[in-house]
Structures are given as structure tokens and as C-alpha cells.
Amino acid sequence: ASLNHPNIAAIYGLEHSEGVHYLILELVAGETLAERIARGPIPIDEVISIATKIAEALEEAHEQGIVHRDLKPPNVKITPDDKIKVLDFGLAKAWSGDRAGATASADLSQSPTLAHTGTAAGIILGTAAYMSPEQARGKKVDKRADIWAFGVLLFEMLTGRPAFQGEGISDVLASVLKDAPDFSALPASVPQHLRKLLARCLERDVKMRLRDIGEARIALQASSLKDEAAATSPARATQSWLPWTVVAIGILLAAASTWIHRGSTTTEARWSHFTRITEAAGEETSPTISPDGGTVVYAARVSGSSGLYSQRVGGRNPTPVVDDPEREERGAAFSPDGSLLAFHESSAVGGIFVAGATGESVRRVTTFGFDPAWSPDSRQIAFASEEVGDPASRVGDSTLYAVDLGGGTPRTLVDGDGVQPAWSPSGRRIVYWSNTGGQRDIFTVAASGGARVAVTDDPAIDWSPVWSPDGRFVYFSSDRGGAMNLWRIAVDESIGRPQGEPEPVTAGVQASAALPRLSLDGSRLVFQSRVAAVNPVAIPFDPSRERAGTPTLLDTQNNIRIPNDVSPDGKLIAYYNIGEHQEDVFVGSPDGRMRRVTDDAPRDRGPMFTADGRSLVFYSTRDGRWAAWSVGVDGGNLRRLAGEEPGAVNVTVSPRGDQFVFGSASTQALYLAPIGSGPAVELTGRHVDGKYFLPMSWSGDGTRIAGILASSSARMGNAGVAVYDLATHATTALNTDDASAVRWLADGRRVVYFASNGTELVVLDTVTLRRTSVDVRLPAPAVFNEGFAVSPDDRTIYYGAARAEADIWIVERSAPAPLDADSLPCR
């Protein structure tokens, strides 16, 4: 009765009458899952939808400390409007042994259970065909017993038959204890990632089994997105959310890219022979290549968990290297001799680990940090305090450190922001990139620490640098050519200064080529090719019942469009894009095409309407650093707002339209400023328990601002939802949800946001702290930045549905060819 979830049948009361205790239960119409399976195997897309809802129900129960213990098809209802309800939590029917006359044709899902009030060892509890091995042995069970039953359920939905069978209950229990499921019975159309999830759930050794049903839920949601992306047919091509074909086209263009080393009498070896290493749906990322150029290691998410996978160049079968389900592994880096792998834990704080090249003997080196880089002598590792997801969306500061391989206290390398370091071949310098006033540039610093030296200094997004093995060049990712591609620049390794202008390596790639790494001899380069889109989606919403309808895609014509606000009359939506070469502000009607409001080189983000709906307030780099600006919805009257406050971000407009608040990208301060003339005033009370408040939405009565808490250290990331009171100048933390944007509802009491990595829509009462997870199947995770919007009547929520596809590629050098004598330069 303590469970409150849209996928769990409710218990409304416990009553007593004439010596009889009874429950008042929710009446759930529709057929049971057992009845649905009786008609035959369920199509994969329907299986994923049903299984996702079951996983969400179990996740809610497990988070409340409740284990179902009797999950089976008769305990799952499918309502006439295709909602899923899980029944009978904590209930078990009496079992006195095998039923007389039981046969192999009997419905095993209806096999009886043994009821008992306790969960002590030696008591068998559950339904035979769905019991975990530890249940069947009468051992004490935990939530992993439910995960086993979930796997059995998944198997049965896909195949139309039970995973474990027998003539009687004892035979079924024996099958559970000794037999492996017949995975050959799975339809050939079941994708590999779904098979892997099934195998993890049905791992007989409880210590090796998937540990958290939330991971299964994430894997299923990712599987749904992969299947949708793979399902684009010629008839649907114009409706595709992503320009998937540009990956192949862009790489073909990249193969034509060549350059000539200046001053040389022979042509420099060309980069040619582009080969895609991975081809699974979803994202494979953070590649590294062994010193001998024969092995590539990369990160991939399988069965809901990110792990490291190894693949021989020319091979097709990736092998897990480090894949701990309790830890998210990314950022692998081979040691200079190829015998070790360093990697980081992808979490709020991170942590640097080292293992053998094939994953053995994993040990922790630091308690925090990301993106490890080896010194040439393998004695030290450089790393940063922040993990980079999207280089365009970074606004905080990260610190660069170096630590001895044996551990100890890390030492700081440079003052100011720095991420993704890489050591030079001589060990003299470290290259990295930094976000300074909204500009992303490459820098070097001496390995002993000290002042930084700029390698690039322009508006382009330059990131993920790495030194060439001969120390002559720094390779990096940049959008300076109009799309994210690989570039290089000559650098004097001894002093870290550039010796020329950047030149393209993969000019023409339209699929965001990034994260380059080279083999020791420089003959092979591995990189990630990624294509992504963020399309606006409208979610019908009933604010009184806190229920949502079916989301509708609004636009497929543009690559990145993030809704951020709705005009007071509800007729216009303000959008912006992020991560593209040109970031601008747009407006458009909810059912029509959008148009640009700004169209120039500076990065414009986070537009919000003024009270009259005629202007937009946003933040921009058009003065060389983040600052607040205003522009008419027709593109006129562009002007700078407020005074010389440092780095304005997260601009939020008051309901009367006469003021705005914003955070500082550099000082972590909070400011209030007039939209007319006048200086900005710093507000006190922004900090709570070492975290600081980022403003997102102003309440309708003008008294409070909703937002998120961020750590004062770049290591911690977002740390919860909070409210700032303008009268008391106090910040109140409401919870620890991982929201990145928050919006008020019209009642001025509740807020709405996306949580769980953008996959969950949440309504929160800021007074009672009642948290409601809205039952809606989002077509893709909400893009994780400051933007989404709510209509003035709360009837529609607009958000950016994000999808991405990323693969690992390798390119090799062809042999250099001599120049024709007639073409030699004059001396």
C-alpha cells in the first residue's frame, strides 16, 4: 500500500468485518500478460514497451525496499488503453506440493506458491516456473530474485513459451536449478543487445546477475530508440529524426582529405583506408588504440551498463575488457608499452583506475577524476576533475591534476579551467582544452605546472587534443570548418607554442568526427564519428491529474532545436540550438515552422519571453564572454543588458517582465537586474551545504525562483532541485534529483522537470515535497541542458528529444609518394 506508481495496481485500504480482514484493491480492466502470451510470441517492439513498464514498477518497489517475489504473467495486467499494471506485490498463494495429475501441458504460470509470512532461509516462496535458483533452494532472497523472474518473463514474451518446464512442480524446480534457457528459441529478429540483457537477468550465479532493475529499464529504453532509428524505410525517410546517411557520406568525403607537409620535397603520407570498427546501434565512444596499432578499446553501453570493450583491428567481435555492472567505465587509455589500461568511472565524482590490458587486476588510483592520460615513462597519470559530455554545453571550471601511478595526493597542474589532458612524447608538456568566457580553446602547460600557453584562440569549439607521436603536431576536434571534424596544428613541443595555422585532417565529415588517438608509429588514427539531433516534442499534460498524453514530434527539418519558453499568449515558442557551428535563437508557432531571430557567429542560448511577448532575453558570447542580451521577436532592437557583471548564464525573466535573474559562469554568484537601464545587484543566500543555486524559472507571483543545485566543485555535477526566496534571500533544497532544468506550473506551488538522465518526467509539490513520476513514454531522453518549456495553461510541455548514433572509425596512412621534379618549390 505504500507504493504509488502508475504501473503498480493500487491498494486503497485494509478493512475488517465480522472477523475477516480484506483489502480494497484497484480494479484493473483488461487481459493478463498470461492471456496475451497464450496467443503466441509478442512482437519485439511491444515486448520492449511492456517490459519497460514492468521494470519501472519493480524499480519503484525496490527503491522502497519491497521485493515482489512472485512476478509472473498472471500478475501483470494490460489495460484496454495499453497501460501496464503489476499486481500482487508481496502476496503468495498456498502450496502443499505438486498438484495431482500435473502434466507438461499444464499452465506453469499458474503453478502454486508456498505462502509464508517470513523470508528466512529454508522457506520456498514464489511460483515454480519463475523462481530464481536461490528461491528454489529456499535461500534468503533480495531484489535480484525479481530480476531473474523479469528475465523469465522477457523470455516468455519473446518466445511464447516458458523458459523452464517439467511434468510437475518438482521437475520445474529441477529445471530452474540445472537447465539453461534455450536461447535458440528466441526469434532471429531479437537484437544482440536484448539477448545480452536477457542473459544477464538469467545468470544462475546471483553474484553475476544484473544487480539493479533500473539498468534493465535503461537498456530497454535505449533498445527502443535503437530499433526506431534502425526502422527508417524509404517511405519514412523524410520523417527520420536523424540524417543517418550523412555518416557514410561524410566518411567517404573524409577519405579524400589530404595534406602536404610544408617545405618537404616528398608528399606526406596520406590518410586513407577509412574503416568503421563498430556498427552496433547506439553510441560507442572514447576510443583508444594500442601502441602497436593492433587493438582498439572503446566504451559502449550494453544491458544498461557502460563498459570497456576491446576489438582487434580488422576483427568484428568485441570482447569485454572491464565491465563491472556496479561501475560505469569510460575514458580508456593504453600505457606507452601497451601493458596497462587506465580508465575513469563515469559518475558525479569519477575516479581513476588502472588494469591490465585485458582487464585483469583492476585497482583504484584516485577517488575522483576523469580522462586519464599517461606520462611517457608510465609513472604518472594526468586527469581532470570534470567529465566532458558535450563540449558546447560546459559552463563550469575543471582542475587539471597529475598523480603518481602508485597513488598519493594529486598535484595541480595549472590555474583555471582545464579538461581532457594529453602528455607530449618527450614528457615536457601537457596539452588540454579550456572554456574561457564561453570560448573553447587548446592550451599547453609544462608537466611540472605553471603558466598556460594558448595554441588556438578563436570562436571555434576546439577540444579533445592529443599529441602526434613525433611531437610535431597536436591533433584535435573542431567545428571551425562548419562541422565537427579532426584538425591538427604544428606545435613546438619544447615551449608548447603553435607554429602555424590549424589544418584539416577529415575535412568534409558531416557526422561530428572527434576524440582522435594515434598509434605509437603514427600510422593509424582512431576516432569517433557521431551524428545527433534534438527535435522539439509536445507532450499533452493534465495539470490537475498530473497525467500526460501521447508525445507528438513537432519538427524534423532541423538538426538541433531546443524549446526553452512559450510566449504569454501561447502562440510562440522560443528555441535555441547548441553544439552546432552557429548557435542562434529561433521562434515558431506550436504547429508551424520556426524562423531565426539571430543569425550570426556569437553563441546565443536560453531565450525567454518578456511579459508582453514582444522581446526575448537570452545570454550570448557576442561581447567575447557570456552576457545577458535582449532582442525583439522580429530580430530588431538587439541590445546588451545590465552592467559589467562576470559571465551571465541561466537567464530567467520575472513575470512582470521588468527584471531578470542570472547566474555567473565564473564566480558562482547570483544577480538581479532590470531589463531597462541600471546595474545588476548580487543576491545573497545562494549557497546550501557547499552547493550553489542556478536559476531556471520565476514563479507567477514573483516571490520565488526555481532551479537546480550544482556543486562548488566541478566534480559533483547537478545535486538537486531547489527554490530561492526573493524576500528572505534563502535557498531551500527540495530533493537530490538529477534535474538540469526546472519550470513552475501556473499554481505557483508545483514545479516540473525531467530526471533520471532525461528519461523521467516529474511533478514536485514544493510545499509537501510530494513527487509524482508522470506516466508517459518519452520518444527519446530529454536533452540535458537548461531548456524545456511549459505552455501558460500548463496543458502542453515542450522539450528537446535527443538521439544520437556514434561509431568508432580507424584511418591508416598510405605510403608517401615522391613529388614530380617539375612541381618542386623554388628555393
Side-chain angles (χ1 to χ4, degrees):
S2 65
L3 298 177
N4 180 17
H5 191 273
N7 299 121
I8 298 175
I11 297 177
Y12 295 122
L14 173 63
E15 302 293 339
H16 179 266
S17 176
E18 298 180 356
V20 176
H21 293 277
Y22 60 93
L23 297 172
I24 302 174
L25 306 177
E26 177 184 2
L27 176 61
V28 182
E31 65 178 352
T32 67
L33 183 57
E35 292 168 330
R36 174 63 185 87
I37 294 173
R39 301 201 301 269
I42 302 175
I44 291 176
D45 58 346
E46 189 178 346
V47 168
I48 292 173
S49 176
I50 294 171
T52 300
K53 297 301 184 185
I54 295 172
E56 289 173 355
L58 291 176
E59 187 175 13
E60 172 68 16
H62 292 174
E63 288 179 353
Q64 300 294 330
I66 299 170
V67 181
H68 192 294
R69 301 189 194 91
D70 200 19
L71 182 65
K72 57 184 179 180
N75 282 345
V76 177
K77 272 287 193 84
I78 306 172
T79 69
D81 56 354
D82 291 329
K83 286 186 170 61
I84 303 299
K85 293 282 188 176
V86 180
L87 318 174
D88 289 356
F89 270 85
L91 302 183
K93 298 178 182 178
W95 177 37
S96 58
D98 288 1
R99 288 176 295 170
T103 64
S105 63
D107 182 358
L108 293 173
S109 71
Q110 300 292 347
S111 60
T113 61
L114 177 67
H116 193 274
T117 56
T119 57
I123 300 301
I124 299 176
L125 191 67
T127 300
Y130 304 89
M131 282 185 185
S132 65
E134 62 272 21
Q135 271 181 295
R137 290 189 172 95
K139 294 184 177 180
K140 190 172 183 177
V141 299
D142 58 20
K143 64 183 181 179
R144 289 171 292 182
D146 282 353
I147 293 173
W148 171 279
F150 176 80
V152 178
L153 218 64
L154 187 59
F155 181 95
E156 193 165 341
M157 285 192 285
L158 290 166
T159 64
R161 73 186 205 190
F164 304 99
Q165 304 183 64
E167 293 184 0
I169 304 304
S170 298
D171 296 320
V172 175
L173 290 176
S175 179
V176 168
L177 291 171
K178 67 177 183 177
D179 296 337
D182 182 11
F183 290 113
S184 66
L186 293 170
S189 57
V190 177
Q192 187 63 28
H193 50 269
L194 200 54
R195 293 172 183 264
K196 289 182 179 179
L197 172 62
L198 193 56
R200 288 290 306 280
C201 292
L202 294 178
E203 173 60 55
R204 186 168 278 106
D205 184 349
V206 68
K207 294 181 179 179
M208 299 298 294
R209 194 177 307 152
L210 191 70
R211 299 183 66 85
D212 196 319
I213 195 66
E215 298 299 323
R217 186 257 307 162
I218 293 170
L220 287 164
Q221 289 172 334
S223 178
S224 177
L225 297 181
K226 293 171 184 177
D227 291 342
E228 289 174 20
T232 303
S233 64
R236 295 177 56 208
T238 58
Q239 300 299 319
S240 176
W241 289 27
L242 277 177
W244 301 107
T245 54
V246 302
V247 180
I249 294 172
I251 296 300
L252 289 176
L253 291 173
S257 174
T258 61
W259 8 266
I260 298 175
H261 180 59
R262 298 180 179 128
S264 174
T265 58
T266 61
T267 302
E268 183 173 357
R270 295 183 301 115
W271 289 111
S272 58
H273 305 104
F274 283 73
T275 304
R276 186 168 68 173
I277 295 293
T278 66
E279 53 189 21
E283 292 191 73
E284 292 81 46
T285 188
S286 60
T288 187
I289 189 167
S290 60
D292 64 6
T295 302
V296 174
V297 172
Y298 58 88
R301 184 169 291 277
V302 178
S303 297
S305 176
S306 178
L308 302 180
Y309 292 80
S310 173
Q311 193 164 315
R312 294 293 298 173
V313 175
R316 287 292 181 186
N317 296 319
T319 302
V321 179
V322 182
D323 187 21
D324 187 338
E326 297 296 303
R327 182 180 59 223
E328 301 272 305
E329 298 101 356
R330 301 186 73 171
F334 275 104
S335 63
D337 64 1
S339 65
L340 298 173
L341 270 178
F343 62 91
H344 72 246
E345 179 178 12
S346 183
S347 64
V349 177
I352 306 301
F353 295 78
V354 169
T358 55
E360 68 279 1
S361 305
V362 176
R363 66 178 180 87
R364 181 186 287 271
V365 178
T366 70
T367 58
F368 69 97
F370 306 92
D371 292 310
W374 293 89
S375 63
D377 60 7
S378 298
R379 294 180 178 178
Q380 298 183 76
I381 292 176
F383 63 95
S385 63
E386 180 184 350
E387 183 177 23
V388 176
D390 179 359
S393 63
R394 290 192 63 236
V395 295
D397 286 338
S398 169
T399 304
L400 284 185
Y401 296 94
V403 66
D404 290 340
L405 183 61
T409 302
R411 59 184 176 88
T412 303
L413 290 172
V414 65
D415 293 330
D417 179 63
V419 287
Q420 294 184 319
W423 230 293
S424 71
S426 70
R428 296 178 182 177
R429 300 195 71 83
I430 292 171
V431 66
Y432 65 96
W433 70 276
S434 175
N435 172 27
T436 304
Q439 187 169 300
R440 280 73 168 159
D441 287 311
I442 307 294
F443 295 87
T444 69
V445 64
S448 58
R452 68 182 188 177
V453 176
V455 175
T456 65
D457 184 8
D458 50 40
I461 295 179
D462 301 330
W463 65 298
S464 67
V466 63
W467 237 289
S468 65
D470 59 10
R472 294 166 51 204
F473 296 94
V474 168
Y475 286 74
F476 60 98
S477 311
S478 178
D479 66 351
R480 61 185 54 246
M484 194 64 68
N485 276 284
L486 302 185
W487 291 69
R488 72 172 189 175
I489 185 171
V491 175
D492 183 337
E493 185 189 2
S494 62
I495 59 175
R497 296 192 180 279
Q499 302 296 299
E501 296 299 317
E503 52 190 19
V505 177
T506 59
V509 175
Q510 299 299 311
S512 186
L515 303 170
R517 295 293 184 269
L518 292 104
S519 60
L520 187 60
D521 63 2
S523 65
R524 286 178 170 171
L525 183 150
V526 65
F527 64 96
Q528 178 199 64
S529 176
R530 184 176 188 267
V531 60
V534 177
N535 300 99
V537 168
I539 305 175
F541 183 68
D542 183 341
S544 60
R545 303 171 67 192
E546 297 183 349
R547 293 186 179 180
T550 302
T552 302
L553 179 65
L554 298 182
D555 174 81
T556 60
Q557 304 300 314
N558 301 287
N559 194 34
I560 307 287
R561 297 294 182 266
I562 304 166
N564 196 70
D565 196 21
V566 182
S567 62
D569 61 6
K571 295 181 178 180
L572 285 178
I573 303 172
Y575 301 89
Y576 68 107
N577 59 342
I578 191 168
E580 293 182 324
H581 182 65
Q582 186 172 311
E583 297 182 4
D584 293 312
V585 171
F586 309 78
V587 295
S589 62
D591 57 356
R593 291 196 175 186
M594 60 190 73
R595 58 179 172 80
R596 288 181 185 269
V597 177
T598 62
D599 187 5
D600 49 20
R603 305 187 184 281
D604 303 329
R605 297 181 182 176
M608 302 199 80
F609 285 98
T610 53
D612 59 8
R614 297 178 180 178
S615 300
L616 295 166
V617 177
F618 62 100
Y619 56 102
S620 173
T621 59
R622 56 190 58 246
D623 266 357
R625 64 174 183 173
W626 292 116
W629 288 74
S630 174
V631 66
V633 294
D634 59 0
N637 195 26
L638 178 67
R639 60 193 178 98
R640 168 82 183 267
L641 298 177
E644 294 301 317
E645 74 292 331
V649 295
N650 297 101
V651 172
T652 302
V653 180
S654 69
R656 294 197 306 177
D658 59 342
Q659 295 177 303
F660 67 100
V661 295
F662 58 91
S664 169
S666 56
T667 66
Q668 299 178 2
L670 183 66
Y671 292 90
L672 174 68
I675 288 182
S677 60
V681 177
E682 184 174 352
L683 298 175
T684 59
R686 186 188 193 189
H687 290 80
V688 178
D689 297 330
K691 299 176 282 290
Y692 64 96
F693 178 76
L694 287 174
M696 298 288 175
S697 180
W698 208 313
S699 64
D701 61 7
T703 62
R704 297 191 295 166
I705 299 168
I708 62 171
L709 290 175
S711 172
S712 300
S713 165
R715 308 177 199 170
M716 297 301 296
N718 296 346
V721 177
V723 168
Y724 182 86
D725 190 306
L726 288 164
T728 63
H729 295 278
T731 301
T732 302
L734 303 181
N735 63 26
T736 58
D737 278 357
D738 60 349
S740 280
V742 181
R743 298 287 184 261
W744 284 102
L745 294 179
D747 60 13
R749 172 168 173 151
R750 293 173 297 165
V751 294
V752 62
Y753 56 89
F754 292 90
S756 304
N757 292 321
T759 63
E760 180 188 20
L761 178 60
V762 176
V763 176
L764 178 68
D765 188 312
T766 62
V767 178
T768 66
L769 302 185
R770 179 179 59 86
R771 183 188 189 276
T772 303
S773 179
V774 179
D775 183 19
V776 56
R777 184 184 180 192
L778 303 176
V783 62
F784 236 37
N785 49 52
E786 305 95 68
F788 76 93
V790 182
S791 63
D793 62 2
D794 291 343
R795 292 288 176 178
T796 309
I797 296 172
Y798 302 96
Y799 83 110
R803 351 173 136 243
E805 177 74 24
D807 290 301
I808 308 303
W809 288 74
I810 195 167
V811 57
E812 301 180 58
R813 287 186 187 273
S814 60
L819 284 172
D820 183 85
D822 293 335
S823 68
L824 293 176
C826 296
R827 297 291 185 183

